[in-house]
Structure formats: C-alpha cells, structure tokens
Amino acid sequence: GAEARAAEAGASGDALTPLLLAAVDALAASVRAGLPFKVEERLGELEAFRTQLGNGSLSPARGVNRLWAFYEDEFRLTRENGLHSQTLQVGSERVLADVAKLGAMALYFRTQDGRYGRAERAATGWRFVELEDKADQQRVAALFDALRKQIRSGWFALPLAAGGGR
C-alpha cells in the first residue's frame, strides 16, 4: 500500500544523497578551477546545499532539482558577457572592483580609483594583475564602457594573459 511506496521512496531518496554530494563536490571543483568570478559566493551556495541535504531540511528528490538549477546557472555563466561588482585581491590589498566577465574566457577589473587589470592563471591558482601598459588600460576601459552601454558583442582588442601574446 501507500506505506510501502513511501518507504520505497525514502530508500531511493537515501540512495540519491551520496550521488548528490559527489555532484556537489565535482561542481565545487569546477568553480575553484574556473575564472575567479564570485567564487566565495558560488561555493557558499553549494555548501549551504550540502548542509541542507545533510540535516534533512532538503529532501534528496528536491535536491536533484536544486542541483540541476546550480548546473544551469554555471552553464549560463560560461556564456554571459557582463559587468559585475566583486571584492578581489590585487597585490596585498583587497578591493571592491567592477569586473567585466567574458564568458568563461577572461575576467578584467577596474578598481574604484581607476586601475585596470585582469585575472591571470598562476601555478598557485588565479591572481589579479594590474595592467601597466597605457594602451592595454585604454583597451580594457573601452570594454567597460561598451558593457556599461549594454553592448554585449563586437570586436575588442584586449590584452591577454602573460604568454598568450596580444
């Protein structure tokens, strides 16, 4: 009867939990490896999901839907170009900056005091590096200006990460 179906659904839900947790781990690893875009916030959402799954406030069945929404958000981030605001580490200081995110390809920043830079992958992970070259700064400023005007596509000459040429 209904009790048997409920018990069976509970058992299959319990079987889902380890799969969901493994998927959360994989998604968190992907967030850490990808562009350094709002990493703390995105990992925080995944950790909250893990907690709710662990303490039972989120059923495994509803967890599947929620995890799917996380994946959809991550896919959307890989396609979107846009302006955002985030706190980042530039040298020895943490600053609030505007960031121009170009899909999953590049991330540029502009500090409130007018410095420009980009995210660069280093051996130890990502770092935010200021642009020294005036022409590079102007190119990135043009990108910020276009994005501010809602221009989401077009041709932009932009400085690439070290080793990537120009």
Side-chain angles (χ1 to χ4, degrees):
E3 243 175 67
R5 283 196 304 276
E8 193 175 297
S12 66
D14 291 342
L16 278 177
T17 301
L19 298 173
L20 287 170
L21 293 175
V24 167
D25 290 343
L27 191 52
S30 173
V31 167
R32 284 187 198 92
L35 276 180
F37 177 71
K38 298 188 181 252
V39 172
E40 293 87 3
E41 293 95 324
R42 290 159 59 209
L43 290 176
E45 286 181 33
L46 290 172
E47 197 51 45
F49 173 80
R50 174 185 288 285
T51 300
Q52 291 167 357
L53 204 55
N55 68 20
S57 64
L58 180 67
S59 72
R62 289 199 48 220
V64 169
N65 292 334
R66 181 111 171 265
L67 189 64
W68 184 256
F70 280 128
Y71 272 97
E72 285 181 329
D73 287 345
E74 290 298 312
F75 287 134
R76 183 181 44 76
L77 283 177
T78 67
R79 294 188 312 267
E80 283 183 350
N81 298 336
L83 278 183
H84 305 272
S85 187
Q86 90 180 50
T87 302
L88 31 106
Q89 187 82 27
V90 181
S92 62
E93 62 180 321
R94 283 188 62 76
V95 295
L96 182 63
D98 293 325
V99 295
K101 188 182 76 60
L102 304 179
M105 298 297 300
L107 190 71
Y108 295 92
F109 69 85
R110 176 180 59 201
T111 63
Q112 292 179 336
D113 62 2
R115 294 175 287 157
Y116 290 91
R118 67 171 168 250
E120 268 184 19
R121 192 184 294 272
T124 56
W126 288 91
R127 62 190 185 125
F128 291 96
V129 179
E130 275 187 65
L131 295 171
E132 304 294 334
D133 184 78
K134 287 280 185 228
D136 284 348
Q137 292 169 10
Q138 290 170 345
R139 290 179 185 107
V140 174
L143 171 68
F144 273 91
D145 189 49
L147 290 173
R148 189 180 49 74
K149 293 175 181 169
Q150 302 293 316
I151 299 169
R152 295 280 187 250
S153 61
W155 178 262
F156 297 94
L158 293 166
L160 300 175
R166 294 202 179 241

